[in-house]
Amino acid sequence: ISNRMMPKRCDVICTHVPPRDLLDRCYSGQHAGSQTLRVGVERMASKSRSPPTLWLCGHIHEARGALRHNFAAGTVRGEETLVVNAAQANSGLAKRLEHGPVVLQLEMDPDKKNRRNV
């Protein structure tokens, strides 16, 4: 997939694979996230100065968790994206579910022109 096919702006991005170097470390220690998707969101953040508020992903079971990241680093102060790896299976070769669902509450922020807080 080409990152040029991504929209110029979106509030939520949902992908199977996480972004490269964020919540993507496998049990082997290697990073297995998508550089293509990460570059697409970085481009989105730098051009529109409005990165997604939320990036939902999974796939790398060992890297389950959440963090905030500024994909517009190096440009005008951008807003952070909440990246959530909601993987539910055991580490390594997935054979069983070990974690329950991730539940997020989205709220409108009237001061941010319809941007949402998570």
Side-chain angles (χ1 to χ4, degrees):
I1 184 170
S2 168
N3 60 35
R4 296 185 189 283
M5 296 175 67
M6 295 177 72
K8 292 181 181 176
R9 185 183 180 292
C10 69
D11 292 321
V12 176
I13 184 169
C14 184
T15 62
H16 180 72
V17 64
R20 181 73 173 187
D21 296 323
L22 296 174
L23 301 174
D24 73 332
R25 190 178 299 271
C26 296
Y27 63 91
S28 67
Q30 294 180 323
H31 291 278
S34 171
Q35 184 67 25
T36 300
L37 290 171
R38 181 176 177 141
V39 168
V41 171
E42 287 171 347
R43 179 177 290 129
M44 183 188 306
S46 67
K47 286 187 176 182
S48 69
R49 293 195 178 91
S50 184
T53 302
L54 177 63
W55 186 333
L56 297 171
C57 60
H59 186 55
I60 311 300
H61 310 133
E62 302 88 321
R64 177 183 169 86
L67 57 77
R68 292 192 179 277
H69 184 77
N70 182 355
F71 285 98
T75 62
V76 176
R77 184 175 162 242
E79 297 183 32
E80 291 183 327
T81 298
L82 176 62
V83 182
V84 178
N85 179 334
Q88 296 178 316
N90 62 286
S91 295
L93 185 59
K95 294 183 178 183
R96 66 188 176 284
L97 296 180
E98 290 188 348
H99 306 283
V102 172
V103 179
L104 301 169
Q105 180 175 337
L106 303 176
E107 297 178 358
M108 296 298 292
D109 185 346
D111 296 330
K112 292 191 176 183
K113 296 182 181 179
N114 297 328
R115 297 251 324 154
R116 297 176 185 240
N117 287 336
V118 261

